[in-house]
Amino acid sequence: MRKYIYNREGYAFLTPWLLGFILFTAIPMILSFYFSFTQYDVLTPPKWVGLRNYIDMANDPRVHKSLQVTFTYVGLGVPLQIIFALFVAILLNRDRPGIRTYRAIYYLPSLFGGSVAVAILWRQVFNKEGLINQFLALLGIEGKNWIASPETALYTLIVLLIWQFGSPMVIFLSGLKQISKEYYEAAMIDGAGRIRMLFSITLPLLTPLIFFNLVMGIINAFQAFTPAYIISGGTGAPVDSTLFYTLYLYIKGFQHFSMGYASALAWVLLVIISIMTALMFLLSRFWVHYEE
Amino acid sequence: MSKKVLLFLVVAMLSAIMVFSTGLAFAEQVEIRAAWWGDTGRHELYNKIIDIFESKNPDIKVIREPTSWLDYWDKLTVQSAGGRAPDFIGMHLQFAADYVRRGILEPLEPFVGEGVIDISKHSEAAISTGTMDGVLYMIPMGLTTQTMVVNNSILEELGVEPPNFDWTWDDVKTIGLKVRGAFDEKGDKNKWFIADSSGAYQIFRYWVRQRGQEDLYTADGNIAYTAEDAATWFTMWNDLRENNIVPDAATTTEYARATLEDNLFARQRIIITGIPVNQYKLYLNAVPGANLLLVRNPSLVDGLPGEFVEGAHFAVSAHSTPEKKLAAAKLIDFWVNDPDSIELYRLDQGVPSNREMAEFLMTIVDEADQKIIEYVNKTSEIARPINFPPAGASEVNSLFEQIAEKVRFGQLTPEDGGEQLVSQAQDILNKHK
Amino acid sequence: MGEQNRSIVIYYLFITLFALVMIYPLLWMTSASFKEDVEIFQSPSLIPQNPTFNNYAYGWRGVSGYTFGRFLFNSFLISFIGIIANILSCSMTAFAFAKLDFRFRNIFFAIMMITLMLPFHVRLIPQYIIFNKMGWVDTFLPLTVPRFFATDGFFIFLLVQFMRNIPNEIMDAARIDGASAWQIYARIMMPLSTPALVTVAIFTFIWTWNDFFSQMIYISSPSKFTVSLALRMFVDATGESSWGALFAMSCVSLLPLFIIFIVFQRFLVEGIMMGSLKG
């Protein structure tokens, strides 16, 4: 597919973003990079210390723990959330009465975002006397304190991520709307069944958005902060089992006044995420199909 | 839609925002910004107090910036980084060291000297809580101290005698076992005698001081306790936990950050918990109808009294103009000395450090508040001085909580916990020197 | 016919059951909003013992003399401006990345993606310092103006993916007819991207409405408080929290979001122009 080469037009349309990048993003990024080589307690000017923050990071057991926690969260949470979102989007992509209200209800959990209310609600569900355990009691099983035990606390956060699948779902819904009806009509004439149409038409045409949700899901999950913050009260409790990487970053920067160290943490995270994203872009040519 | 219309809309919108957000400036008036933390109730109260101040000082206008406790410190940090800390700042000993040692707070001696802030009627102990290295940085807005509140109604139900006012750590176990027995008879598996304070740095402080150390930190900014102090502390709490006198580790963690109405005491699942005494009335409201007693923190047999007086304070920003600093200082003076202010303020953050005002309050407050004032007065008599925490204290605080939690979940022995605590805490302090 | 009816019933049964799981927390919160503070944590049932409207009345009173209505207005203002800003700026940028070819395009795209990967806590202080120097602190400017400059990379990327799914033949045909890039953008791309733009609008509104941290940092005067800031005021560890009021006002604040979502869904309508273009 040819694209026309129009330098001037391209830059004209890009101007808002370019300006925004220079004014609002580039300078903070450069500054934070600079801070990562300093000892900066925020309230007094930074002091240059070279690579010390990066070296300290390599030896900091809490960094290792937070990486472990974060990778688990991303590796389990994102794929599961997207699968759910896809499943429900396809399910709700019907023109049936009241379907719009159902879609809104399924989107409801995402509306809660990171409010204080969610923390309370999650405790009500996952603590010793919570809903889950009440349900398990009916089956004769005695549940533990899921939300406050080191072995299981992180998984309650993963469930929270999956429960808030509304955003990928909506994106899939709008993608499903973009697929021309003619494809399905043609397939029906050829005698294809529903499952066949799903795998031959719907999924392939949705790959650009599956890819989008995957990439954004991973980028966002690596930077997840609010769930851990509100549920652990900003501590990563119990015993750092919910210490997301950015939560640790926040603790170091804002509570321990080590903004230099926090900046170093941030840039290492950036490198990790960009490597993963680049990999995903490279691999995308094998499975993502664009209509252009 | 044509480009022009779009452009016009955009410009119109931007203009609207600009008009909306910039206020009108008043000439000839000093404008200061006052920030504090609290809930909606406190915001109403403080607004009223400031209104009275403004009516008495028409040349000063106070812009109010209330926040909730959770966010107050994040915001103050960011604002200070931008050189934009509020002129009149609510401050707390927990974080004060970091701000004082980085030059954010203005020394207040000059204002005292010129009579702007009158501390003649304030007790020495009170003023010393705001003094670091001999320099006065903040004035207490209320004095308080740690106490333990006891739900005597539950004890009566269980048929167990409440602890004495001067009870000891040994009593905790003795009475605790009795209570445990009584609960088990009734089948109350989810209730316990006392809250697990193994991770409460401020109660550990009592332990340390009772064992003869000067405080958590020495006067020159080092760790003042030993690994053994910590190890014995953790061992004691492990023992209490094994005997089911305090809740299990998971329950303690779950409720660690709960608010007042939400915590184990308010839910009537534990009988005793540590609170700052000025919250006594709030707890009365949270457990309506219950008979609540106040007792001291348990003391050590043959140990020294660990008591000390603390509170919440007001300070003035150092990065401000002289007129604004003066105005902020006047506000402080009004707040802690003027009867019109005290009449409204009552015991919001504790007992007024102005002795005359405290006596004045005794005549107009109710029984519960009188109890609080008496408790603070009693404590002041036996309290020993404190050492102002060094920079990095808040980091040490969270280190302590983490180590205590690991010990709670059995991931660390008390001895190892003690060792790690002392060495890592000292490292942190060294880093910030 | 019976077969079909039965499968419809099963369908609805299934999605209703699932929906209950989604909606339970809202039910809990709504019931809590009608309970007295003390009862909220004492009794786990969904039916309040002494239903009361106090929480709504108290919560509506707001903070420092400004009612919750003011906070709702502020949130609406910022969110709507955000929608317009994002739709304009992000679509222009996405069009450039997806359909126009120019030097350094891929590099700029990579840079844009990278801006998404730096945790905002470390950008916070430098950004605050910049905005402070411009005198924008305690105004709505830091929360609205940047959006006009396509700072939300998420939406740029989203629109890129949508636009790449629109066949180039349409553009080529328009070029042959002598259309300029702006005309292609305004007359072809934008209408065809309606489902995506609607998605951008919905998300921008909801995320701005719920965004808490930036609003907390840049807004100090109660008159400018937004809903998410005001909600934080109801719960405080150092005093008496007004849980009832928190839940009541949370329900109130969820209502506009819910409505916006249902209303805008109308535009996520059947594959619009696609069919007609093929012919």
Side-chain angles (χ1 to χ4, degrees):
Chain A
M1 296 279 143
R2 278 187 60 208
K3 294 209 207 85
Y4 284 80
I5 307 216
Y6 277 89
N7 259 354
R8 210 168 353 140
E9 286 176 336
Y11 280 106
F13 275 91
L14 208 62
T15 307
W17 177 79
L18 268 175
L19 281 178
F21 174 70
I22 296 174
L23 289 174
F24 302 114
T25 314
I27 300 179
M29 283 185 79
I30 295 174
L31 272 178
S32 77
F33 188 61
Y34 163 66
F35 289 151
S36 74
F37 295 103
T38 68
Q39 187 178 348
Y40 180 37
D41 64 15
V42 180
L43 305 174
T44 60
K47 280 187 345 228
W48 183 267
V49 293
L51 287 174
R52 187 160 70 147
N53 288 329
Y54 291 97
I55 299 177
D56 285 345
M57 267 181 66
N59 296 325
D60 186 341
R62 286 187 98 189
V63 170
H64 303 153
K65 177 74 180 179
S66 69
L67 279 172
Q68 185 194 18
V69 168
T70 310
F71 268 94
T72 310
Y73 182 74
V74 174
L76 272 183
V78 176
L80 282 176
Q81 186 205 42
I82 293 183
I83 293 175
F84 252 99
L86 190 54
F87 175 65
V88 176
I90 294 177
L91 203 62
L92 296 186
N93 188 31
R94 311 277 173 90
D95 205 9
R96 293 215 170 126
I99 204 74
R100 269 199 258 122
T101 315
Y102 275 97
R103 285 193 208 129
I105 292 181
Y106 279 80
Y107 192 71
L108 207 53
S110 303
L111 287 181
F112 279 90
S115 66
V116 185
V118 168
I120 300 292
L121 294 170
W122 225 240
R123 256 180 51 209
Q124 302 281 97
V125 173
F126 284 103
N127 67 5
K128 198 92 192 341
E129 311 83 33
L131 212 60
I132 299 279
N133 283 349
Q134 285 177 20
F135 183 65
L136 287 177
L138 291 177
L139 301 175
I141 309 176
E142 185 180 340
K144 61 196 291 189
N145 192 333
W146 308 102
I147 203 168
S149 302
E151 309 84 30
T152 54
L154 179 60
Y155 294 97
T156 63
L157 289 181
I158 293 180
V159 171
L160 180 62
L161 176 66
I162 298 174
W163 183 65
Q164 294 184 323
F165 64 78
S167 302
M169 176 191 81
V170 167
I171 291 178
F172 282 137
L173 274 174
S174 36
L176 286 169
K177 294 297 176 198
Q178 204 193 23
I179 299 177
S180 165
K181 279 219 161 177
E182 296 187 351
Y183 288 123
Y184 294 114
E185 282 159 15
M188 267 208 295
I189 294 177
D190 283 350
R194 284 255 278 281
I195 308 285
R196 184 73 201 288
M197 287 203 279
L198 177 68
F199 282 97
S200 309
I201 304 177
T202 316
L203 286 183
L205 288 178
L206 270 186
T207 48
L209 290 180
I210 298 180
F211 178 65
F212 172 81
N213 277 330
L214 209 55
V215 169
M216 288 315 302
I218 290 181
I219 292 181
N220 285 334
F222 265 114
Q223 295 178 63
F225 170 79
T226 315
Y229 181 72
I230 53 171
I231 289 195
S232 75
T235 60
V239 279
D240 285 358
S241 60
T242 61
L243 189 71
F244 285 2
Y245 192 87
T246 42
L247 181 60
Y248 187 50
L249 189 158
Y250 162 82
I251 291 176
K252 292 307 299 181
F254 280 81
Q255 293 182 358
H256 299 172
F257 293 100
S258 306
M259 193 53 81
Y261 192 72
S263 305
L265 285 174
W267 277 86
V268 167
L269 184 67
L270 187 148
V271 169
I272 294 178
I273 300 180
S274 44
I275 292 178
M276 305 226 70
T277 308
L279 266 174
M280 286 175 35
F281 267 95
L282 281 174
L283 289 176
S284 73
R285 76 178 65 190
F286 294 115
W287 61 281
V288 182
H289 164 91
Y290 293 104
E291 266 299 277
E292 55 185 16
Chain B
M1 208 191 290
S2 81
K3 264 199 266 195
K4 291 216 185 93
V5 176
L6 219 55
L7 198 59
F8 171 72
L9 272 179
V10 166
V11 171
M13 208 138 343
L14 279 176
S15 324
I17 310 172
M18 296 227 172
V19 167
F20 231 104
S21 19
T22 54
L24 299 167
F26 281 85
E28 302 253 11
Q29 247 191 354
V30 180
E31 218 180 60
I32 58 171
R33 291 163 42 226
W36 65 83
W37 66 81
D39 64 328
T40 44
R42 176 175 293 161
H43 298 332
E44 299 305 327
L45 176 64
Y46 284 25
N47 275 324
K48 285 205 199 107
I49 297 179
I50 297 181
D51 288 339
I52 299 184
F53 174 76
E54 276 180 336
S55 68
K56 291 193 178 184
N57 292 278
D59 57 332
I60 302 181
K61 178 157 157 53
V62 181
I63 303 184
R64 304 98 192 274
E65 300 186 353
T67 326
S68 64
W69 169 266
L70 288 169
D71 312 313
Y72 185 78
W73 303 101
D74 286 344
K75 195 165 184 181
L76 188 57
T77 304
V78 176
Q79 287 176 329
S80 305
R84 209 179 166 266
D87 306 291
F88 174 88
I89 317 177
M91 190 45 63
H92 196 277
L93 268 170
Q94 217 182 322
F95 302 96
D98 291 305
Y99 286 91
V100 166
R101 292 179 197 271
R102 290 170 176 122
I104 304 291
L105 303 183
E106 174 86 357
L108 297 175
E109 249 96 18
F111 297 110
V112 174
E114 287 164 30
V116 177
I117 301 182
D118 174 19
I119 58 172
S120 56
K121 310 209 183 62
H122 294 235
S123 67
E124 283 263 345
I127 296 300
S128 74
T129 59
T131 311
M132 196 197 89
D133 288 346
V135 181
L136 180 64
Y137 287 101
M138 44 194 206
I139 304 281
M141 44 165 142
L143 295 175
T144 184
T145 183
Q146 289 284 330
T147 184
M148 293 247 164
V149 62
V150 181
N151 188 334
N152 203 18
S153 304
I154 303 184
L155 285 177
E156 280 168 4
E157 263 178 48
L158 297 178
V160 177
E161 284 288 310
N164 292 327
F165 186 74
D166 293 296
W167 64 325
T168 68
W169 291 109
D170 298 332
D171 289 330
V172 174
K173 183 157 182 192
T174 333
I175 307 182
L177 285 172
K178 282 198 212 136
V179 168
R180 180 78 259 155
F183 271 142
D184 286 340
E185 262 181 38
K186 292 176 65 181
D188 279 330
K189 277 195 316 181
N190 270 347
K191 301 192 180 166
W192 298 269
F193 176 53
I194 190 172
D196 184 341
S197 304
S198 60
Y201 202 38
Q202 294 301 312
I203 304 191
F204 176 63
R205 194 173 181 181
Y206 273 74
W207 177 260
V208 155
R209 289 160 63 95
Q210 287 165 353
R211 285 166 64 97
Q213 311 292 6
E214 32 178 309
D215 201 352
L216 290 174
Y217 307 100
T218 62
D220 56 355
N222 291 313
I223 298 292
Y225 47 85
T226 65
E228 203 202 317
D229 288 327
T232 47
W233 168 260
F234 290 135
T235 310
M236 173 179 73
W237 288 102
N238 276 1
D239 183 44
L240 290 173
R241 204 170 309 115
E242 272 153 42
N243 282 299
N244 220 354
I245 297 178
V246 300
D248 58 287
T251 307
T252 301
T253 295
E254 186 195 332
Y255 285 93
R257 305 259 168 237
T259 59
L260 219 148
E261 306 72 19
D262 186 22
N263 68 26
L264 287 168
F265 187 86
R267 289 172 180 256
Q268 306 213 43
R269 287 171 58 184
I270 55 175
I271 297 180
I272 305 188
T273 190
I275 66 171
V277 72
N278 62 303
Q279 289 187 353
Y280 176 56
K281 225 172 168 177
L282 297 174
Y283 276 87
L284 281 175
N285 290 340
V287 196
N291 177 8
L292 299 186
L293 306 174
L294 293 178
V295 297
R296 280 174 67 195
N297 278 339
S299 34
L300 199 57
V301 180
D302 297 331
L304 298 173
E307 269 75 359
F308 55 91
V309 164
E310 51 180 345
H313 298 75
F314 284 130
V316 173
S317 163
H319 296 282
S320 183
T321 67
E323 302 87 44
K324 295 194 185 198
K325 291 184 195 175
L326 180 61
K330 283 190 187 164
L331 181 54
I332 294 184
D333 178 69
F334 169 79
W335 203 293
V336 301
N337 290 326
D338 193 312
D340 288 333
S341 153
I342 299 288
E343 206 176 355
L344 285 174
Y345 183 76
R346 305 268 167 122
L347 300 174
D348 184 59
Q349 296 258 28
V351 177
S353 54
N354 179 329
R355 272 197 227 92
E356 265 183 29
M357 288 297 116
E359 279 165 26
F360 162 60
L361 273 187
M362 277 293 269
T363 59
I364 59 172
V365 296
D366 64 15
E367 211 186 298
D369 283 334
Q370 285 176 347
K371 252 189 171 165
I372 298 177
I373 301 180
E374 281 165 1
Y375 190 92
V376 172
N377 286 341
K378 230 198 275 196
T379 306
S380 309
E381 285 161 32
I382 55 173
R384 293 187 300 129
I386 60 169
N387 283 333
F388 208 85
S394 36
E395 198 175 338
V396 173
N397 199 328
S398 49
L399 172 72
F400 182 81
E401 285 172 5
Q402 277 165 57
I403 293 187
E405 198 176 31
K406 287 200 186 138
V407 174
R408 268 211 306 271
F409 278 102
Q411 296 183 3
L412 265 186
T413 66
E415 293 73 30
D416 287 338
E419 298 277 346
Q420 281 188 17
L421 173 66
V422 172
S423 68
Q424 288 179 16
Q426 190 59 48
D427 284 342
I428 292 175
L429 294 184
N430 292 340
K431 207 174 46 167
H432 284 261
K433 285 213 174 132
Chain C
M1 254 352 205
E3 274 291 328
Q4 241 195 22
N5 276 345
R6 209 178 44 179
S7 75
I8 292 185
V9 168
I10 295 181
Y11 175 78
Y12 272 97
L13 210 63
F14 187 57
I15 64 176
T16 309
L17 223 61
F18 220 24
L20 284 176
V21 176
M22 301 288 133
I23 208 176
Y24 174 76
L26 180 64
L27 292 176
W28 188 89
M29 212 170 74
T30 314
S31 96
S33 73
F34 289 109
K35 292 184 184 173
E36 320 222 329
D37 268 8
V38 191
E39 199 204 327
I40 293 181
F41 293 109
Q42 309 275 11
S43 92
S45 87
L46 278 184
I47 319 282
Q49 267 173 357
N50 305 317
T52 168
F53 276 102
N54 274 348
N55 295 327
Y56 284 90
Y58 183 71
W60 191 261
R61 281 209 340 248
V63 175
S64 284
Y66 295 100
T67 69
F68 217 79
R70 176 63 172 253
F71 307 145
L72 283 169
F73 175 76
N74 289 337
S75 284
F76 261 111
L77 186 63
I78 308 182
S79 306
F80 266 129
I81 295 178
I83 291 181
I84 298 182
N86 268 346
I87 289 188
L88 284 176
S89 63
C90 294
S91 63
M92 282 174 68
T93 315
F95 179 60
F97 281 131
K99 292 302 185 189
L100 299 178
D101 208 354
F102 50 93
R103 207 136 59 108
F104 302 132
R105 187 193 61 174
N106 288 339
I107 296 185
F108 281 130
F109 185 77
I111 293 180
M112 185 217 52
M113 290 302 296
I114 291 186
T115 61
L116 291 170
M117 303 177 195
L118 192 69
F120 80 97
H121 280 112
V122 297
R123 285 183 276 142
L124 198 61
I125 300 226
Q127 271 177 350
Y128 184 84
I129 296 179
I130 293 176
F131 284 128
N132 193 25
K133 292 242 187 299
M134 297 204 280
W136 286 11
V137 175
D138 204 27
T139 69
F140 289 143
L141 294 171
L143 303 170
T144 51
V145 173
R147 285 236 162 93
F148 284 97
F149 295 92
T151 46
D152 269 327
F154 179 91
F155 296 122
I156 301 178
F157 186 23
L158 178 66
L159 288 170
V160 163
Q161 294 303 89
F162 265 90
M163 291 186 178
R164 287 186 71 181
N165 240 5
I166 296 176
N168 282 348
E169 289 127 0
I170 308 169
M171 256 187 70
D172 295 354
R175 289 278 196 203
I176 292 175
D177 284 347
S180 73
W182 173 264
Q183 283 170 322
I184 297 180
Y185 164 75
R187 302 267 168 79
I188 303 181
M189 277 294 146
M190 291 291 270
L192 283 181
S193 311
T194 310
L197 292 175
V198 167
T199 310
V200 169
I202 295 178
F203 285 171
T204 302
F205 189 87
I206 293 175
W207 293 350
T208 309
W209 189 273
N210 280 339
D211 169 33
F212 157 72
F213 213 83
S214 335
Q215 293 167 8
M216 191 264 291
I217 295 289
Y218 290 113
I219 297 179
S220 303
S221 331
S223 65
K224 305 196 188 74
F225 275 2
T226 56
V227 167
S228 48
L229 278 188
L231 287 177
R232 294 280 273 204
M233 295 276 166
F234 288 118
V235 174
D236 185 63
T238 59
E240 209 169 325
S241 303
S242 324
W243 283 104
L246 170 70
F247 290 131
M249 291 301 108
S250 297
C251 288
V252 168
S253 104
L254 274 182
L255 217 53
L257 297 182
F258 206 59
I259 295 177
I260 292 264
F261 185 80
I262 294 192
V263 162
F264 272 72
Q265 261 203 83
R266 200 175 286 274
F267 297 102
L268 283 180
V269 112
E270 292 303 323
I272 328 172
M273 315 272 167
M274 288 316 300
S276 53
L277 280 163
K278 288 289 182 173

